[in-house]
Amino acid sequence: MANPTLLILPGDGIGPEVMEQVERIIGWFGDKRGHAFDVTTDLVGGAAYDAHGTPLTDETMAKAQEVDAVLLGAVGGPKYDDLDFSVKPERGLLRLRKEMDLYSNLRPAQCFDALADFSSLKKDVVAGLDIMIVRELTSGVYFGEPRGIQDDNEGGRIGVNTQRYTTSEIRRVARSAFELAKRRSNKVCSMEKANVMESGILWREEVSWVHENEYPDVELSHMYADNGAMQLVRAPKQFDVIVTDNLFGDILSDCAAMLTGSLGMLPSASLGAPMENGRPKALYEPVHGSAPDIAGQGKANPCACVLSFAMALRYSFDLGEEATRLENAVQSVLAAGTRTADLMQAGDAKPVSTKEMGDAILAELDASL
Ligand code: NAD
């Protein structure tokens, strides 16, 4: 059988540095575990703009549509701040998400024991935390029409955005959440504002429909999103999978992310409809940006990007055990006190470089055999 295909888009800033470590790890899975990938590398963001005058060429977009999964580093940087909006680095990423129709954004919030002190919450509230926020990514108030700013003809202005969801948009992201829950603790909490928004009422009804008709064995609860925000910081371990819309998901996933400490540790996946081979359209990327303040200095933490590849192993390639092997390797490296600069606390030994962190993860992978 042909090897699965991966398109790697390192991007800008620390993107290429962290991706270099991931490429070593991808190589390891081919050499040591018999899971080889056919990897193509290309440009996105500012790097693509510098080479081609656009943050994503049509050729790269076409490749992204063909491969089994895309792995992206980060885009953006001060060099591109003054570019026209239409060619800003972020447009490359948005085009990928839009044209691949990646409607389900998976943001795990997992607290590695060795990093429990990094959370702004008490250690016992977050130690062992492992939740997944599923955010609808392609609809809702960020896309709904009408939108814009107009004169009110009385000397003032009116800003308008429209929260709009259809049955099929809600049902497909709900299915994605229920499927995930089946691989985890079989529990979904759906969050909206059905108390004050009609779109919230529809959201609740459609999620319930999918539950009753397709996933009756998964436990489903509903919560108003404002209460959800409170519960996330009060007792986050009560949740397993949270499913919510684009706007609430944006806020709740960032809130949950900070439960775990450092941006350098946070992976994500954006999934779309299944392709002919059954694999979902998929883009995996760290949550962090291009970190221009540390780019090119060998200081970046590659773990978020490494853990994004672990998500690819699990969600695109059905290699859950190998994903766990990689996550455990990261866990062991941290437990041994190996830290990049972003994970240092007063009194810690010297930080390791991006490459040394990659070396340590590879050594742990070897030790796992
Ligand atoms: P950022 O995530 O790049 O950096 C925020 C802070 O976290 C910085 O101090 C940075 O040094 C640190 N940091 C981030 N990732 C790290 C890592 N892996 N290891 C160690 N430290 C890390 O966010 P920002 O500074 O607001 O944005 C910088 C650029 O990145 C901007 O151009 C922004 O538009 C872009 N951006 C891109 C994405 C993306 O590609 N998905 C996401 C967010 C921001």
Side-chain angles (χ1 to χ4, degrees):
M1 243 172 62
N3 292 334
T5 51
L6 266 179
L7 173 63
I8 293 193
L9 303 173
D12 308 320
I14 62 169
E17 301 166 46
V18 295
M19 196 60 86
E20 204 179 314
Q21 303 315 312
V22 178
E23 288 182 71
R24 298 170 70 200
I25 288 167
I26 293 171
W28 185 92
F29 278 97
D31 295 345
K32 304 282 176 73
R33 301 294 302 155
H35 298 300
F37 295 89
D38 287 344
V39 177
T40 320
T41 305
D42 211 329
L43 302 174
V44 69
Y49 178 81
D50 288 340
H52 304 296
T54 167
L56 189 77
T57 64
D58 292 343
E59 292 72 35
T60 313
M61 186 65 239
K63 273 188 218 166
Q65 296 282 22
E66 277 161 22
V67 291
D68 292 316
V70 180
L71 196 56
L72 186 138
V75 295
K79 182 178 165 193
Y80 308 104
D81 280 352
D82 296 330
L83 286 183
D84 185 72
F85 186 68
S86 63
V87 287
K88 276 196 184 291
E90 291 74 10
R91 303 304 297 173
L93 180 52
L94 293 177
R95 181 174 178 200
L96 282 165
R97 287 179 182 158
K98 182 162 188 283
E99 293 192 20
M100 292 169 76
D101 198 14
L102 304 172
Y103 56 81
S104 178
N105 181 223
L106 276 48
R107 291 268 301 259
Q110 195 175 6
C111 186
F112 290 97
D113 287 349
L115 299 182
D117 283 333
F118 274 81
S119 174
S120 47
L121 297 188
K122 291 194 196 91
K123 194 169 177 171
D124 61 307
V125 176
V126 291
L129 177 74
D130 180 8
I131 62 180
M132 177 75 82
I133 301 205
V134 179
R135 164 188 172 194
E136 200 291 324
L137 200 60
T138 52
S139 186
V141 74
Y142 293 164
F143 296 93
E145 299 282 348
R147 62 185 296 161
I149 300 177
Q150 65 207 51
D151 288 335
D152 68 357
N153 297 325
E154 290 172 12
R157 295 187 299 162
I158 305 171
V160 177
N161 289 93
T162 303
Q163 167 81 330
R164 180 181 184 279
Y165 269 107
T166 64
T167 294
S168 64
E169 286 168 347
I170 300 169
R171 287 186 186 179
R172 66 183 187 173
V173 74
R175 284 187 189 103
S176 170
F178 285 121
E179 283 296 330
L180 266 174
K182 278 176 28 181
R183 297 173 182 219
R184 298 170 50 96
S185 304
N186 222 31
K187 229 167 68 168
V188 172
C189 179
S190 170
M191 294 188 186
E192 28 55 17
K193 290 281 290 174
N195 48 343
V196 285
M197 295 170 76
E198 283 76 6
S199 57
I201 296 174
L202 185 75
W203 183 279
R204 189 175 282 223
E205 288 175 0
E206 295 300 345
V207 171
S208 298
W209 187 94
V210 174
H211 176 241
E212 279 156 32
N213 289 281
E214 299 175 19
Y215 298 93
D217 297 337
V218 179
E219 188 186 323
L220 172 67
S221 60
H222 301 276
M223 196 177 272
Y224 298 137
D226 50 344
N227 183 26
M230 279 200 286
Q231 296 300 329
L232 265 177
V233 289
R234 190 187 71 84
K237 286 189 243 176
Q238 69 184 285
F239 299 112
D240 180 30
V241 175
I242 293 172
V243 63
T244 188
D245 75 14
N246 204 342
L247 172 63
F248 298 138
D250 195 0
I251 296 164
L252 293 171
S253 61
D254 270 13
C255 173
M258 283 328 291
L259 301 176
T260 65
S262 170
L263 256 181
M265 294 301 302
L266 295 167
S268 81
S270 301
L271 306 180
M275 299 184 283
E276 256 173 40
N277 61 13
R279 294 182 174 128
K281 288 256 181 202
L283 170 74
Y284 298 89
E285 55 179 326
V287 168
H288 63 71
S290 59
D293 52 335
I294 57 165
Q297 301 173 30
K299 287 184 184 168
N301 181 354
C303 288
C305 203
V306 169
L307 294 170
S308 299
F309 176 61
M311 291 186 83
L313 289 172
R314 180 171 287 119
Y315 298 117
S316 280
F317 304 116
D318 223 5
L319 293 171
E321 278 180 28
E322 301 300 339
T324 304
R325 180 190 297 278
L326 181 51
E327 288 158 355
N328 287 345
V330 172
Q331 171 108 303
S332 304
V333 165
L334 296 171
T338 308
R339 306 279 160 94
T340 40
D342 56 308
L343 302 178
M344 300 300 284
Q345 284 178 313
D348 278 351
K350 199 170 150 282
V352 298
S353 68
T354 310
K355 174 168 183 304
E356 286 166 338
M357 189 56 130
D359 292 343
I361 296 171
L362 285 165
E364 280 299 334
L365 284 172
D366 277 338
S368 75
L369 294 176

